[in-house]
Amino acid sequence: MNSTIVRKSWTAAFLLLLAIPSFSKLSAQERRTHEVGIIAHRGYWRTAGSSQNSRVSLQKAQDLDLFGSEIDVWLTTDGVVMVNHDNKYDGVVLEKSTSDVCRQLVLSNGEFMPTLPELLELIATRPSGTKLIIEVKPHSTPERDRAAADSAMALVRRYGLEREVEYISFSLHACNRLVQNDAKAKVAYLNGDKAPAELHALGHAGIDYHVNAFRKHPEWVAEAHALGMYVNVWTVDDEASIQEMIRLGVDYITTNEPVRTRRLIAR
Ligand code: MG
């Protein structure tokens, strides 16, 4: 190596050292433009051996090292938090049934329907940074929404996973209850009908809206960021929409196609 190359290498190293502190001083807004987090919608289930809202779908999301894996939860009559998307499975209405009945339900991949504690156990024991995004489903009454929110949060606390979990809901009753229970909890409302400022005033940490809500109100992304709130969009699977939302500046994309989304973000 001649002396000119050595000198140039030292100069490059010196400039790099100067650049590192300035990168760390990037504002949250600037940093957002560097990375978009991927959340697997109902876990990573469009892959062999998996099924929506199953243990395997969480494990597959963890294996991809995604930002998050989303699940849907219902409270049974005996106070157990079950994991399933619809209010009903094989004719069993989850919130009107006991956990004994719900636990016997078999998913398409052969697993029994999981409980929230079983998935929290996976978050606690598997080496992964993937967060569990818990959607508290709207139950039959506001009281039931709040009871489901209380039960889910109590379980998260029991496992000491407050930092590994975030919450979402279409129920404002559930969202507000979660914030009241833990002001530091990351809670985002799903229904797409409220401007960020209104939710910020309620203590919500983010907004999580359907892609069409952001097409109608693209200004809500900047408004949320200006308030220090994060922005998540659901459920974005096709290439054009994924690119559209990346350009719009969302922080997280909830998708049934995490591998495709990752490829597009990398590009
Ligand atoms: Mg959901």
Side-chain angles (χ1 to χ4, degrees), residues 99-255:
S99 56
D100 282 353
V101 173
C102 298
R103 285 172 198 264
Q104 298 305 313
L105 297 166
V106 180
L107 308 185
S108 65
N109 68 342
E111 283 180 39
F112 288 111
M113 182 178 286
T115 62
L116 178 59
E118 286 164 345
L119 298 192
L120 291 172
E121 190 71 33
L122 287 177
I123 294 288
T125 55
R126 295 191 92 223
S128 158
T130 302
K131 290 181 192 290
L132 193 63
I133 314 298
I134 300 175
E135 178 181 346
V136 178
K137 299 302 286 188
H139 289 59
S140 50
T141 65
E143 289 72 27
R144 292 283 293 163
D145 291 356
R146 287 189 278 265
D150 288 347
S151 298
M153 189 170 255
L155 290 164
V156 170
R157 280 181 169 154
R158 192 183 304 165
Y159 278 80
L161 292 173
E162 290 93 333
R163 285 196 176 80
E164 282 75 33
V165 164
E166 298 184 5
Y167 302 90
I168 54 177
S169 187
F170 283 98
S171 163
L172 203 54
H173 305 292
C175 288
N176 291 342
R177 183 60 159 250
L178 291 161
V179 171
Q180 285 156 13
N181 286 349
D182 179 2
K184 287 185 181 165
K186 291 196 167 173
V187 177
Y189 175 63
L190 291 167
N191 209 34
D193 58 344
K194 295 186 183 305
E198 187 177 343
L199 299 169
H200 184 257
L202 294 169
H204 296 204
I207 55 171
D208 187 353
Y209 286 171
H210 187 264
V211 61
N212 286 338
F214 291 120
R215 286 175 179 144
K216 194 173 167 194
H217 290 287
E219 74 281 6
W220 282 355
V221 175
E223 286 178 24
H225 287 164
L227 292 163
M229 302 171 83
Y230 56 84
V231 176
N232 187 353
V233 60
W234 57 272
T235 298
V236 191
D237 292 343
D238 69 279
E239 185 163 330
S241 301
I242 292 166
Q243 286 173 329
E244 177 191 358
M245 290 297 114
I246 293 170
R247 279 196 302 273
L248 191 60
V250 302
D251 305 298
Y252 305 101
I253 292 177
T254 299
T255 180

Side-chain angles (χ1 to χ4, degrees), residues 41-42 53 70-73 85 133 135 137 168 170 190:
H41 183 234
R42 308 178 195 174
N53 277 305
E70 189 252 1
I71 59 165
D72 307 284
V73 302
H85 182 263
I133 314 298
E135 178 181 346
K137 299 302 286 188
I168 54 177
F170 283 98
L190 291 167

